[in-house]
Amino acid sequence: MRKIIYAQLVSLDGFIEGPDGKIDGTKPVEELHRHFNDLEKNLDINFYGRGMSEVMDFWLTADQNPDLKDHELEYARLWKDTERIVFSKTLDKVEGKAQIRREVDPDEIIKLKKQPGKDMAVGGAGLASTFIKHGLVDEFRLYIHPVIVGGGKPMFPVNEKVNLKLVETRTFSGDVVMLKYHQEKQE
């Protein structure tokens, strides 16, 4: 069965945005960006909430920027070729290979997981928390940056315990550490 991955750049104190709503101190360096390119190559679907979708829409036209580096151009091409399902109650339309869903239907997501194909990823803390609540996330990847932001939007806005098993660690340039966990399934 395909897995759903929640991969997120995060500060050392667990925030994906600072108190001002900005994403400061967690920009991926080239090595990490290429790592994300490799992840994107192995995905069929990206699930986003409205906010994450709007942030990621940068990649819809990024390949038209002559100043973009090769690894960024590669990511733009890969991202545009990957299907997106955007969960939003307010958006009327989305661009590119995207479709809108008004709410998460766990049964629909499980059916997608059972179909043949590559893995899938969920982006955005709010949507990820819904997926976590329904037991849909199989793998968690924290890309911890050496910065403390002191507050903001947490990576895990969840109210339930989730047991995880560490399966990989990796250090990237810029002192970024990836911790990869698999969710331990309940017996």
Side-chain angles (χ1 to χ4, degrees), residues 19-163:
D20 57 2
K22 293 185 180 173
I23 304 170
D24 291 331
T26 60
K27 184 175 185 333
V29 296
E30 181 176 344
E31 178 190 16
L32 183 54
H33 210 295
R34 289 188 185 282
H35 172 80
F36 279 113
N37 291 4
D38 290 341
L39 174 60
E40 195 70 32
K41 287 176 190 174
N42 292 301
L43 298 177
D44 274 343
I45 300 173
N46 280 308
F47 300 106
Y48 295 136
R50 181 197 49 79
M52 181 59 80
S53 178
E54 289 172 349
V55 168
M56 295 302 289
D57 278 354
F58 164 82
W59 297 105
L60 286 169
T61 58
D63 57 353
Q64 298 168 19
N65 180 345
D67 297 329
L68 233 53
K69 297 178 175 82
D70 287 345
H71 60 279
E72 294 168 322
L73 286 170
E74 179 187 27
Y75 185 83
R77 180 186 55 78
L78 291 165
W79 183 84
K80 284 171 47 172
D81 286 344
T82 304
E83 181 182 348
R84 290 174 288 126
I85 298 176
V86 179
F87 295 90
S88 172
K89 291 182 169 67
T90 59
L91 289 177
D92 293 323
K93 66 177 188 154
V94 286
E95 303 294 326
K97 289 182 72 171
Q99 51 187 292
I100 296 175
R101 297 283 191 280
R102 295 297 173 205
E103 58 188 50
V104 174
D105 177 354
D107 292 331
E108 177 189 11
I109 305 301
I110 291 168
K111 285 178 187 172
L112 288 171
K113 288 176 76 166
K114 290 180 179 179
Q115 292 177 359
K118 298 178 184 177
D119 289 332
M120 300 171 283
V122 59
L127 182 61
S129 70
T130 300
F131 273 53
I132 292 166
K133 176 181 160 191
H134 291 292
L136 299 170
V137 178
D138 305 288
E139 183 174 293
F140 297 80
R141 295 187 187 188
L142 289 71
Y143 296 88
I144 302 170
H145 285 68
V147 62
I148 295 172
V149 297
K153 182 184 280 188
M155 181 174 175
F156 294 108
V158 296
N159 294 322
E160 53 271 327
K161 180 180 176 184
V162 179
N163 292 316

